Every structure is written in C-alpha cells, then in structure tokens.
Amino acid sequence: MQEIGLGTILLNNSIENYLLALLFLIAVYLMIKIFDKLLLGKMDLFVEKFSHSFSVLLKKIIKKRIYPLLYLLALFLAFNELKTSSQIDSFINLILMIFTVIFVVLATLDIITYSLKKYWTKKQRSEEQQKVLSITLFLIKTVIWVIAFLFILDNLNIQITGLITGLGIGGIAIAFAAQNILTDLFNYFTIFFDKPFDIGDFIITGDYRGTIEHIGVKTTRLRSLSGEQLIISNTDLVNSRINNYKRMKQRRINFSFGLTYDTPVEKLSQIPGIVEETIKSINKTEFDRAHFAEFAASSLLFQVVYYVKSSDYKVYMDIQQQINLQLKERMKELGVNFAFPTQTIHFADKENFHSSLEKIQKIEAENKADELNDGQIN
C-alpha cells in the first residue's frame, strides 16, 4: 500500500501545495481579524472625533465591502498557485471580476449616498424635496449599475457596441420627443441644487413679483401681492434675473426732505446732526449720512441715507414712519418749516409797479363808466 506524504500528487497538485494554499488563506484571515480588532477600533475612535456619521460609513465600507473583496482576492491567489484546468482558471477569474465590480460599485454608492444625505441635512427640506433625494439616488444607482453591467459584458467578450448604439439612438429619440419636459426637469434640478430661492422667499423676476409657494418639477408657483397665483416655468426662471428680497441682509434707504428758503443758516447747520441723532435712536438702523444737498426749485433740500438691518418691508416702513414723526417734532421745536411747492414774484422797481397798477385801475374804471353810459343811451 502506497504511503501518503507531502509529495503525494492529488489532482495535479501535491498535498504540500494544498497545505500552503490553506495556510495562506488562514494567514490572510488572521491578518484581517487582527486589523479588525486592533487597528480598526483605534482608527474608528480617531475618525469619530471629527464625524460620527463618517465613522459609521467607513466601518461599513471596510467590513462589508473591503473585507469580502480581500477574502476573494486571497482565494484567487491561493488557487493561482495550484495547477488547475484552464476552464477552472477562467471560471475563478470571472467570479473574481464580477464580485470585484459589485463590491466596488457598492462602495461607490455608499459614498455617493452619504455625500448627498449629508448635503441634504445642512438645509431644511420639504417632504417633496426629500422625495427628490430618493429619485436622484435611484437615477444615480441605475446609471452606475448599467455602466457596471456593460463593463462585465465587455470583459466576457460579448459585443456591446450594438447595444450601446441602440441605447444611444433610443435616448436621442426620447430626448427630442420630450425636449421641453426634459429642459424644465433639468432646470428644476438646477434650481434644487443651486438654490436661488426657497419656499417662502419674496422674489421679483421680470414684471412679476410674489412669494414662492411651490417648486414643482415643471413649474414654480408664486403668490403675488394682489393675491393671485403666478405659475412660471422653471426654464423661464432659470433664464431670467431674480431679485430675492428674503435673502437681503439689510436694506439701504435714501430719502430727502426740504425746508423753506427763509430758514436761517445757523439752523440749517443743525439739521444733519438732528437727523443722525433721530436715526440712531431707533433700533435696527445704521446711520450713513445726512447733507444739505442742493438749492431746489422751492426748498432747501436735505438728502439722508441709512440702513435697516432687516429684509422685512413692514419693519422698514415702521422705522421710516418713526423717523418722519420724530423729524416733524424736532423741526417744530427748532422753529423751521418743511417746504412745499410755492412761487414768490419779486418786482425790482416798486415805484413803476405802483404807477402801472394805478394806470390799470384807471383804465378799468373808465371802461366801466363807458359801459354804464352806453346802457343808459340804449
């Protein structure tokens, strides 16, 4: 009876080769376990100091994506050292390639999903916009899995040129048929990710103004100041200039008022200080300047600039009203008057004026006497 030793050949390989392959697999397994118990825990503690969510993602990728891939790679290297038939080699290579693609795609999708959800959590989102996240992830996953599937088919020596051409032609045909819809959909994603406005913002676009009520896939709806609802396509919004008043941090106000021409110079010089004091006494304001600007047609004109630290139009109007009332009171205390449109005619020669006036009155009296005489004769 033949003795069985390390050199015994079994299926074209010695028992020694089988043992070496098994020892290699055991060594890889032990190395992964040591890394998992010692180094991964420390690395996880270090990463968790900066971001708990990223730490969870990193552990998931390493344990569920990288570890299985390392096991497959170790199995491949172990079998590669053994003499096997070409069919078995091809099968092992195929299995390794397929699983490698799958695990790489899964790890990529984990990172993309984490990034998008991290971006979403930074801003408040409506329920409808949360659905967009699911749709976006679905589209991204579909595209990546299709690319991975085509990659696998190409490595299996399957001709995919015709398939890609057919998909391209079909995609072009669909794009032409639904051009307007796809344009609005693309612009919706532009609005969604660029965020030029949010629901509740007051905007002006072209001749239209109103508060954003709804951001849809094809249209955006505004509630105008007069009450009606404005429905504007996303394409029109993206292609137009938008004034977003909700995001205005402060409002610059420029207003003017006039005093009468008989105001003394010494009182005129006090006006800028009174205006500055008045504005600074009101909350949510920042004084900029106040000047005696010009000699207007019927007034001595003062120009004032200040800032309201609020985007709310009602707050601005309340502050302007306070300023107007206080200025009215202060001007009254100072003894000066606000100007209004008037005209004063000055005559250079008073004697000629009185002489001309007497002649006019004399002519009018003679005309009246003639009219009375004519009436008596008739």
Side-chain angles (χ1 to χ4, degrees):
M1 187 175 184
Q2 186 178 3
E3 293 182 1
I4 298 177
L6 295 178
T8 304
I9 303 299
L10 183 64
L11 298 176
N12 298 325
N13 292 280
S14 65
I15 294 178
E16 182 180 3
N17 289 339
Y18 286 118
L19 290 175
L20 289 174
L22 180 61
L23 287 174
F24 176 76
L25 292 175
I26 293 173
V28 171
Y29 175 79
L30 291 176
M31 288 175 62
I32 292 175
K33 287 298 181 182
I34 291 172
F35 175 81
D36 187 67
K37 293 292 183 182
L38 300 178
L39 297 180
L40 183 61
K42 293 181 179 180
M43 184 175 65
D44 180 54
L45 290 174
F46 176 76
V47 174
E48 194 165 7
K49 293 179 180 178
F50 301 95
S51 174
H52 173 73
S53 58
F54 185 74
S55 173
V56 173
L57 171 69
L58 188 62
K59 283 168 50 177
K60 177 182 178 182
I61 291 177
I62 291 175
K63 289 189 174 184
K64 295 187 177 181
R65 312 299 183 223
I66 296 179
Y67 284 175
L69 196 59
L70 290 176
Y71 289 137
L72 285 173
L73 182 61
L75 190 63
F76 169 77
L77 293 175
F79 270 96
N80 199 40
E81 294 298 323
L82 300 176
K83 295 179 180 179
T84 56
S85 63
S86 59
Q87 292 85 355
I88 294 177
D89 286 340
S90 300
F91 178 75
I92 292 175
N93 290 335
L94 174 63
I95 293 298
L96 179 65
M97 184 268 294
I98 292 175
F99 276 98
T100 300
V101 171
I102 290 174
F103 285 119
V104 169
V105 168
L106 290 174
T108 303
L109 291 178
D110 287 339
I111 295 173
I112 293 174
T113 302
Y114 169 80
S115 301
L116 285 177
K117 288 184 176 180
K118 193 74 173 178
Y119 171 78
W120 248 253
T121 55
K122 290 181 179 179
K123 298 181 179 181
Q124 293 181 353
R125 304 288 180 180
S126 63
E127 292 184 3
E128 181 176 351
Q129 290 176 329
Q130 288 292 343
K131 294 178 183 178
V132 175
L133 173 61
S134 302
I135 297 173
T136 304
L137 288 174
F138 173 77
L139 293 175
I140 292 174
K141 289 178 180 179
T142 301
V143 171
I144 292 178
W145 279 116
V146 168
I147 294 173
F149 179 70
L150 294 176
F151 177 80
I152 292 173
L153 291 181
D154 185 56
N155 281 271
L156 293 176
N157 296 323
I158 298 175
Q159 294 295 327
I160 62 173
T161 306
L163 178 61
I164 295 176
T165 303
L167 291 174
I169 294 174
I172 293 172
I174 294 173
F176 273 111
Q179 184 176 3
N180 293 333
I181 296 175
L182 292 176
T183 301
D184 285 329
L185 179 61
F186 176 78
N187 288 320
Y188 170 73
F189 281 102
T190 301
I191 293 172
F192 187 77
F193 287 104
D194 190 49
K195 306 304 293 179
F197 50 78
D198 287 306
I199 293 176
D201 289 1
F202 182 84
I203 68 169
I204 296 178
T205 171
D207 296 330
Y208 306 104
R209 62 184 65 200
T211 303
I212 302 293
E213 283 193 339
H214 173 78
I215 303 174
V217 174
K218 182 172 174 56
T219 61
T220 296
R221 300 169 192 172
L222 288 73
R223 182 67 61 181
S224 71
L225 294 175
S226 55
E228 72 272 17
Q229 188 179 68
L230 303 175
I231 302 174
I232 306 175
S233 70
N234 293 329
T235 301
D236 291 339
L237 282 175
V238 170
N239 293 332
S240 62
R241 294 182 179 180
I242 298 173
N243 295 340
N244 192 333
Y245 283 87
K246 184 68 176 292
R247 297 182 183 177
M248 181 170 56
K249 294 181 179 179
Q250 61 181 11
R251 185 187 295 268
R252 183 178 185 273
I253 308 301
N254 185 344
F255 76 96
S256 58
F257 62 91
L259 301 179
T260 57
Y261 265 90
D262 59 358
T263 305
V265 175
E266 60 273 11
K267 291 187 177 181
L268 288 176
S269 61
Q270 299 178 36
I271 303 300
I274 292 174
V275 174
E276 180 178 0
E277 181 183 344
T278 300
I279 292 176
K280 287 184 175 180
S281 66
I282 300 174
N283 293 330
K284 296 185 178 180
T285 61
E286 181 181 341
F287 176 78
D288 184 29
R289 60 184 176 85
H291 293 95
F292 175 22
E294 63 176 299
F295 296 91
S298 59
S299 66
L300 303 175
L301 194 66
F302 284 82
Q303 191 176 71
V304 182
V305 177
Y306 72 98
Y307 293 91
V308 176
K309 297 179 180 180
S310 174
S311 61
D312 193 334
Y313 186 79
K314 185 176 182 299
V315 172
Y316 149 62
M317 288 304 299
D318 288 341
I319 290 174
Q320 186 62 51
Q321 178 177 259
Q322 285 183 267
I323 293 173
N324 292 340
L325 292 173
Q326 290 189 30
L327 285 179
K328 176 69 173 174
E329 185 67 26
R330 295 296 299 273
M331 295 304 108
K332 183 179 178 181
E333 293 174 358
L334 190 62
V336 298
N337 298 314
F338 287 103
F340 53 89
T342 57
Q343 286 187 344
T344 302
I345 302 175
H346 297 276
F347 293 92
D349 192 341
K350 294 184 178 180
E351 293 183 359
N352 291 336
F353 168 72
H354 289 297
S355 176
S356 299
L357 182 60
E358 290 176 356
K359 290 180 181 180
I360 293 172
Q361 291 175 346
K362 184 177 180 181
I363 293 172
E364 290 179 349
E366 291 176 353
N367 289 336
K368 288 182 179 179
D370 292 339
E371 289 176 0
L372 291 173
N373 294 330
D374 290 338
Q376 292 176 355
I377 295 172
N378 292 332

